[in-house]
Amino acid sequence: MDHSATPQTHPTLLVVDGHSLAFRAFYALPVDNFSTKDGQATNAVYGFLTMLSQVIETEKPDHIGIAFDVKGGTFRNELLTQYKGTREAAPEELLTQLPLIQQALTALGVRWIEKPGYEGDDVIATLATMGEHDGCRVLVLSGDRDSFQLIDDDVTVLYPGYHFKDLKHMDPAAVEAKYHVTPGQYPDLAALRGETSDNIPGVPGVGDGFAAKWINQYGSLDAIIEHADEIGGKKGEALRDNIDQVRLNRRVNALVRDLDLGVTIDDLDYGRVDADLTERLFNELQFGERTRTKLLTTFNTAPDDTPTPAPAIPTIIEPLVDALTDTASLTMWIEQYCPPADPTEERPDPTLDITAEYDHQSTQCADAVRRSWTLYIDGDAKPGHASAHMAAIIAGAHAVAFDPADPRYHDTLRTLLDTHADSLSVHGYKEHLHMLAAADLTCPTVLFDTNLAGYLIDPDFQGGSLEECAAHFLDIHLDDHDDTPKQGTLGFEDNDDQDDDPAQRCIDHAAVVAALARRLAPELERREQYPLLRDIELPTSRVLFHMERTGASVDRARLDELHTQFADESAQMEAIAESAAGRSINLQSPKQLGVVLFEEMGLKPTKKTKKGAYTTNAAALQTLYATSEEGSKANEFLGALLRHRETNKLKQIVETLIDAINPKDGRIHTTFTQTVTATGRLSSVDPNLQNIPNRNADGREIRSGFVPGEGFVDLLSADYSQVELRIMADLSGDEALIEAFRSGADFHRYVASLVFGIPVDEVTPDERSRVKAMSYGLAYGLSTYGLSKQLGISNGEATKLRDQYFETFGKVHDYLESLVADARRTGYTETIFGRRRYFPDLNSPNRQRRDAAERGALNAPIQGSAADIMKIAMIRADRALRDAKLASRIVLQIHDELVVELAAGEVDEVIALVKDAMEHAVDLAVPLDVSTGVGTDWQRAAH
DNA sequence: GGCCATTCGTT
DNA sequence: GACGTACGAATGGCCT
């Protein structure tokens, strides 16, 4: 017996019209403000969930059921063929969000229900009726007025007003006040009036007012129909003319209240969130931290099994800004506030072999980061012309800002960095190294980098800037020179009046970094990524900093020569093409090309592009060229066009390189971005030096423009052969594949002999290349279709090749399957060193997305492991060169290749050191093979 | 000046 | 109906 003082209240059941709410949310929130980076609209998902969350907070229901419509018609369409006929097919952007809403509800532990052949409205009516019978107070959240018929003393409809978030509580009194009929009479009224949004015509000229008047006069629709003759005037006549329609309307708008839904009220409990699923989905939706926290606390009410409470978002501290006057004041400030690293904490010995002691290091960083101090430098981090304008330090609750080049503070800062880097958190270690270098300062490896940490936590998150990281991980939106107010964002309180003060601005940013570090460190630990940050990414940043600062030396005269050469031929080809076309044309415009080729020359319609037009890509042009009549205008035009494409592209590449030459040193300083690729690879920008032509002879000539700089004699090119396949051999443990590598024979030839069951020396070049394509295709998730297309063989032959291959290398097959299966289970893949990539799309209802995710899950661990290995090799090679006090230095990395500038007299020693660093970066079941070449330019260094 | 689509260079 | 990963960058052509 319940002796508590509070009276026993009825439990509350919340019933939601899923489609209605999704529609309302979609049209209420601008899609532009709610989209993921890859263009998936999320406004309806966001609006739906926050609205639901808001209602739950306010109404505190005990049970929740969400009703959805099912695709396909209902019994209503049979009654009324035009039913909902004018309703625009919901926009694609909304439709794609419905499955996401349902997935989110499942993840959040909320039951949703649909019933084929019926509408969500009927499900709602049934649930409401069920709740009422079970003694519940029922709330129906719906924007559909048909639901008003459900209203009674126990059932209230929550009806969104003009502003989406204003909910009107429609109870019997509210309905009577608005429509002057009872809720039970509302469908009669609606039948007379019609419903434009559902394409249901009512009696012409009859609106709510007349309908209510008649209902009150006669009591019901039946009675009105019975006395239809007595009603005079135009409206009476209209009623009589439309009696059948009105009867039909009434049948259609009557909700079914007794469906068999297979659920009881107890099935509509909620409160147990699937944290893992939710996180993956919210990552995919790119929800900010505030949204996540809000939703999780609302939906996760179960007192028990809630193992991982949402991590608290550290508040941005508003530090006490201390004024500096001289060296002594900064020195004192540092002594007082800047923490030295915890001496009891084990710091990795920088000379330690990364792989050897890998498992014995601490995997914790959160405590150290909480105690850490923060440095933020405002300046330009572009290698070649870096600069530092302002530095801000936050330590504890205190902050200072000063010009790092100011002689009063310069040496103090130098000492601080030299002695306290291991308790320092920054956003962008590499960038800070560039800016510090501009102020003649260095900095040993730091404790924590929020940019690298954010990348390791979620490598698919695009955006390394502090602003973007703050938005993504803290849901804090800094001003970014954008005056347009952003929906649902908060201004950064500190800078309202201090916007113009560079010192204050710098401190504000440092405060964000401090908060970000405290938010990310525990998350990094939770995902077991801290060892990667400490042992791979941070040391890699140092190496990249040196490479970028050094730059790659180029032979300007050679590049100019190549430019002229390509430009000449390009112009020549353009002239030929224009003469063949009989008019002037911009050959670089696919649109104009389309007109000439497919309209004026009337060439056969080739393949389509992604969006409508006929493609004019090289493959298509090649086909057209091959099939065009020899000597025809079209043939002549296509030949010139194809050659123009090539030479013009090469001309442009050379031009870009020339423009990128730094006048100060005549070298090209690329920037290696470390937090861009989802797999762990680096990328190169401004300019991109990782896509210098290499496939064709004339393009490859450009590489001859890369030369050793002054004081250096040669370039060394060292690259891994078949790293990805070796990784596949190691990870799969396939004995046959491992043996293929250990044998030291020509790998593809050896594999072909196994696959085709013939002696090695009988393998034809064709067989070798097929097997080679197959081997590489595997790691990319290549389909047999793709394989057949690439090799120019039939799909059947490709399938046969694949089957033979897997028969030979059974464990490779099992391994590749297990990659996808594991990823589907855990939500992520892992490289050899534990680098993760998440694949929420593996469970996508969309086939294409799912297939793409599967290919990604196949590729990410393999490509990612190769990237890890190369990063380790770079760290080792860089260290080996420095330890040996050699002048030779790494200048470029092209995924599996290193380019090293060789100083006189060091050639043999450097080759040995670099080769060793690369070959022993990691110990696999198969040897890593590195081939090297030396030459006076990059092309000659090829091997 | 910003944004998208097309095209093409690398591994 | 699509159908190999991961990228960066130039161009034209449209928008504001």
Side-chain angles (χ1 to χ4, degrees):
Chain A
M1 201 184 263
D2 186 3
H3 292 288
S4 66
T6 51
Q8 184 67 46
T9 55
H10 295 292
T12 299
L13 167 66
L14 173 63
V15 183
V16 179
D17 183 339
H19 273 93
S20 146
L21 193 60
F23 262 83
R24 290 294 195 126
F26 180 78
Y27 288 111
L29 302 176
V31 87
D32 295 343
N33 294 1
F34 296 91
S35 295
T36 62
K37 298 285 181 193
D38 54 343
Q40 168 68 51
T42 59
N43 59 334
V45 186
Y46 176 85
F48 189 106
L49 294 178
T50 51
M51 178 62 132
L52 182 57
S53 158
Q54 181 188 309
V55 172
I56 291 172
E57 292 289 334
T58 317
E59 307 290 348
K60 308 214 181 313
D62 301 278
H63 310 281
I64 304 177
I66 319 264
F68 282 97
D69 292 334
V70 188
K71 253 188 236 159
T74 70
F75 72 94
R76 289 187 178 82
N77 293 92
E78 289 168 25
L79 289 175
L80 201 54
T81 50
Q82 81 272 33
Y83 181 60
K84 292 192 176 175
T86 52
R87 185 170 285 189
E88 293 279 317
E92 178 69 19
E93 281 185 315
L94 172 56
L95 289 178
T96 60
Q97 294 185 69
L98 292 175
L100 293 173
I101 291 173
Q102 294 175 340
Q103 285 176 38
L105 290 172
T106 302
L108 290 167
V110 177
R111 186 73 181 253
W112 55 273
I113 297 156
E114 50 188 21
K115 179 82 176 172
Y118 293 89
E119 285 178 54
D121 283 345
D122 301 314
V123 176
I124 291 164
T126 301
L127 290 175
T129 308
M130 186 175 88
E132 230 178 335
H133 285 169
D134 289 351
C136 288
R137 166 180 158 248
V138 178
L139 298 172
V140 175
L141 176 56
S142 173
D144 186 334
R145 291 187 291 183
D146 279 339
S147 64
F148 289 172
Q149 65 190 273
L150 302 172
I151 295 170
D152 62 23
D153 287 342
D154 297 320
V155 179
T156 301
V157 168
L158 306 179
Y159 185 74
Y162 178 73
H163 291 108
F164 171 60
K165 296 216 163 170
D166 295 342
L167 289 180
K168 291 195 189 107
H169 282 61
M170 300 298 290
D171 57 12
V175 172
E176 279 168 50
K178 184 156 170 61
Y179 299 102
H180 308 289
V181 297
T182 66
Q185 291 169 324
Y186 180 83
D188 289 352
L189 180 142
L192 289 164
R193 178 200 57 204
E195 194 73 75
T196 359
S197 64
D198 291 346
N199 199 26
I200 294 177
V203 180
V206 171
D208 285 339
F210 265 89
K213 186 180 152 201
W214 291 341
I215 290 170
N216 286 316
Q217 194 174 341
Y218 298 99
S220 71
L221 183 62
D222 286 343
I224 293 169
I225 291 171
E226 208 172 300
H227 297 95
D229 292 343
E230 302 166 16
I231 302 173
K234 280 228 155 118
K235 294 189 199 296
E237 199 177 316
L239 169 65
R240 286 185 290 280
D241 288 346
N242 290 280
I243 289 246
D244 288 342
Q245 179 67 49
V246 171
R247 280 207 182 93
L248 203 50
N249 289 354
R250 185 60 185 88
R251 284 178 67 195
V252 167
N253 75 17
L255 298 181
V256 183
R257 305 179 74 140
D258 57 355
L259 294 178
D260 180 9
L261 298 176
V263 295
T264 68
I265 194 86
D266 292 329
D267 297 328
L268 302 180
D269 283 347
Y270 69 101
R272 262 182 277 277
V273 170
D274 183 330
D276 230 42
L277 203 58
T278 307
E279 182 178 338
R280 272 187 275 146
L281 192 63
F282 285 2
N283 282 341
E284 185 187 2
L285 297 169
Q286 295 171 7
F287 278 3
E289 277 309 316
R290 292 224 172 141
T291 306
R292 294 173 191 231
T293 311
K294 172 85 170 67
L295 293 176
L296 285 174
T297 45
T298 301
F299 287 96
N300 213 8
T301 58
D304 302 328
D305 53 5
T306 48
T308 40
I313 298 176
T315 45
I316 294 210
I317 53 162
E318 210 167 320
L320 299 166
V321 180
D322 298 311
L324 295 177
T325 49
D326 52 25
T327 305
S329 65
L330 179 58
T331 308
M332 279 170 53
W333 190 92
I334 286 169
E335 276 172 13
Q336 197 165 353
Y337 302 118
C338 280
D342 183 351
T344 65
E345 181 146 340
E346 197 182 337
R347 296 298 305 167
D349 176 353
T351 65
L352 196 67
D353 193 62
I354 292 167
T355 50
E357 299 288 329
Y358 195 69
D359 293 332
H360 304 293
Q361 298 282 322
S362 165
T363 58
Q364 319 255 302
C365 63
D367 288 342
V369 168
R370 205 174 309 113
R371 293 191 300 270
S372 70
W373 59 290
T374 307
L375 170 69
Y376 182 87
I377 295 180
D378 202 9
D380 186 349
K382 176 90 190 79
H385 37 81
S387 60
H389 304 134
M390 185 63 68
I393 296 174
I394 293 193
H398 290 262
V400 288
F402 52 89
D403 178 351
D406 188 325
R408 285 179 298 167
Y409 310 120
H410 190 261
D411 287 346
T412 313
L413 179 56
R414 165 170 294 152
T415 308
L416 173 65
L417 292 169
D418 282 347
T419 56
H420 288 65
D422 53 4
S423 57
L424 170 60
S425 295
V426 294
H427 183 86
Y429 176 47
K430 175 160 71 73
E431 290 67 29
H432 275 72
L433 284 173
H434 279 298
M435 293 185 287
L436 287 168
D440 194 26
L441 291 163
T442 59
C443 180
T445 304
V446 297
L447 170 70
F448 200 75
D449 180 332
T450 50
N451 192 19
L452 293 175
Y455 173 63
L456 287 169
I457 286 169
D458 181 6
D460 280 278
F461 162 59
Q462 293 288 339
S465 75
L466 181 59
E467 283 78 5
E468 287 164 311
C469 283
H472 189 247
F473 292 110
L474 298 174
D475 209 8
I476 288 170
H477 301 266
L478 296 129
D479 65 321
D480 43 9
H481 314 290
D482 182 359
D483 337 304
T484 59
K486 273 163 283 177
Q487 180 131 359
T489 65
L490 302 172
F492 189 53
E493 310 100 29
D494 294 355
N495 56 21
D496 289 348
D497 46 37
Q498 307 277 9
D499 221 13
D500 309 325
D501 179 357
Q504 183 61 49
R505 212 184 131 75
C506 202
I507 289 172
D508 290 344
H509 282 90
V512 173
V513 176
L516 202 49
R518 283 153 185 76
R519 169 70 184 83
L520 294 181
E523 190 60 37
L524 197 70
E525 270 184 19
R526 207 169 70 74
R527 301 188 187 209
E528 302 176 7
Q529 301 295 291
Y530 175 55
L532 279 147
L533 173 68
R534 180 194 55 208
D535 301 331
I536 296 185
E537 299 302 348
L538 279 170
T540 297
S541 282
R542 279 194 73 79
V543 179
L544 294 177
F545 158 68
H546 289 296
M547 291 165 62
E548 293 174 355
R549 191 164 164 77
T550 300
S553 175
V554 290
D555 179 345
R556 171 72 194 250
R558 175 68 180 138
L559 290 181
D560 285 339
E561 184 189 338
L562 286 165
H563 183 262
T564 311
Q565 192 180 308
F566 291 134
D568 285 352
E569 191 176 2
S570 172
Q572 219 173 311
M573 289 303 129
E574 187 181 2
I576 295 175
E578 291 201 334
S579 124
R583 70 171 171 95
S584 79
I585 175 187
N586 185 347
L587 295 182
Q588 284 154 157
S589 164
K591 197 177 172 182
Q592 293 183 37
L593 279 180
V595 173
V596 170
L597 290 169
F598 306 117
E599 289 175 26
E600 295 176 12
M601 293 185 169
L603 292 174
K604 64 160 192 185
T606 40
K607 295 171 193 175
K608 45 156 182 53
T609 74
K610 322 219 171 214
K611 208 182 69 64
Y614 294 128
T615 184
T616 66
N617 65 22
L621 295 181
Q622 194 61 249
T623 311
L624 289 176
Y625 179 64
T627 54
S628 64
E629 197 187 324
E630 186 104 10
S632 69
K633 285 288 177 198
N635 183 271
E636 193 185 341
F637 179 78
L638 286 162
L641 173 59
L642 280 162
R643 186 64 190 150
H644 174 268
R645 275 267 172 90
E646 286 182 38
T647 52
N648 194 55
K649 177 87 180 180
L650 296 173
K651 182 201 81 175
Q652 189 49 58
I653 289 172
V654 175
E655 214 166 284
T656 307
L657 290 175
I658 291 172
D659 288 343
I661 297 173
N662 187 321
K664 278 183 269 183
D665 59 6
R667 301 174 73 103
I668 297 178
H669 301 263
T670 185
T671 298
F672 291 101
T673 65
Q674 207 178 340
T675 58
V676 165
T677 74
T679 53
R681 272 188 176 177
L682 303 175
S683 81
S684 160
V685 294
D686 199 20
N688 181 355
L689 295 186
Q690 289 181 322
N691 71 341
I692 305 302
N694 196 22
R695 286 179 187 165
N696 306 313
D698 39 6
R700 195 152 46 225
E701 281 300 318
I702 297 176
R703 295 185 169 221
S704 68
F706 288 80
V707 295
E710 209 178 312
F712 295 83
V713 293
D714 277 315
L715 291 181
L716 162 68
S717 162
D719 62 72
Y720 284 115
S721 31
Q722 308 113 3
V723 234
E724 293 181 342
L725 292 176
R726 286 169 200 267
I727 289 164
M728 220 162 67
D730 178 83
L731 291 176
S732 68
D734 187 286
E735 295 84 0
L737 196 57
I738 290 171
E739 184 50 38
F741 280 120
R742 286 190 179 158
S743 72
D746 176 315
F747 174 75
H748 298 298
R749 176 171 285 270
Y750 184 98
V751 169
S753 88
L754 289 182
V755 169
F756 298 122
I758 52 178
V760 173
D761 48 9
E762 284 177 27
V763 172
T764 66
D766 186 55
E767 285 167 331
R768 182 182 183 277
S769 71
R770 286 187 187 199
V771 164
K772 183 178 174 183
M774 182 72 219
S775 292
Y776 281 106
L778 285 179
Y780 295 143
L782 185 63
S783 62
T784 53
Y785 175 90
L787 186 66
S788 67
K789 212 174 144 190
Q790 185 185 318
L791 291 175
I793 59 180
S794 75
N795 207 324
E797 285 176 290
T799 307
K800 193 174 154 212
L801 176 58
R802 186 198 59 185
D803 292 346
Q804 279 179 305
Y805 196 99
F806 281 148
E807 216 168 288
T808 315
F809 305 111
K811 285 199 180 170
V812 172
H813 177 255
D814 297 346
Y815 166 67
L816 293 173
E817 292 224 314
S818 75
L819 279 179
V820 177
D822 289 353
R824 189 167 279 129
R825 187 167 44 76
T826 61
Y828 57 82
T829 59
E830 272 184 315
T831 65
I832 296 176
F833 293 93
R835 180 190 305 275
R836 291 186 189 176
R837 182 178 175 191
Y838 291 81
F839 288 96
D841 271 358
L842 280 179
N843 295 309
S844 169
N846 178 322
R847 244 275 297 270
Q848 272 185 53
R849 290 174 73 104
R850 205 169 57 241
D851 285 353
E854 286 184 9
R855 289 192 295 272
L858 282 176
N859 176 253
I862 297 171
Q863 187 181 113
S865 294
D868 290 346
I869 290 172
M870 180 49 115
K871 283 174 176 173
I872 293 168
M874 292 169 69
I875 297 163
R876 288 167 51 95
D878 180 75
R879 191 170 65 208
L881 293 173
R882 285 171 201 284
D883 286 353
K885 302 265 191 284
L886 295 168
S888 301
R889 52 201 184 175
I890 309 173
V891 287
L892 292 178
Q893 186 253 46
I894 305 95
H895 306 307
D896 61 6
E897 173 187 11
L898 290 181
V899 178
V900 181
E901 212 170 21
L902 295 171
E906 297 182 356
V907 177
D908 292 337
E909 189 181 1
V910 171
I911 293 174
L913 285 178
V914 171
K915 195 165 152 60
D916 177 81
M918 292 175 72
E919 288 183 340
H920 299 111
V922 58
D923 193 21
L924 299 182
V926 295
L928 283 175
D929 182 57
V930 172
S931 59
T932 58
V934 173
T936 52
D937 64 55
W938 192 8
Q939 190 184 23
R940 290 174 204 268
H943 34 275

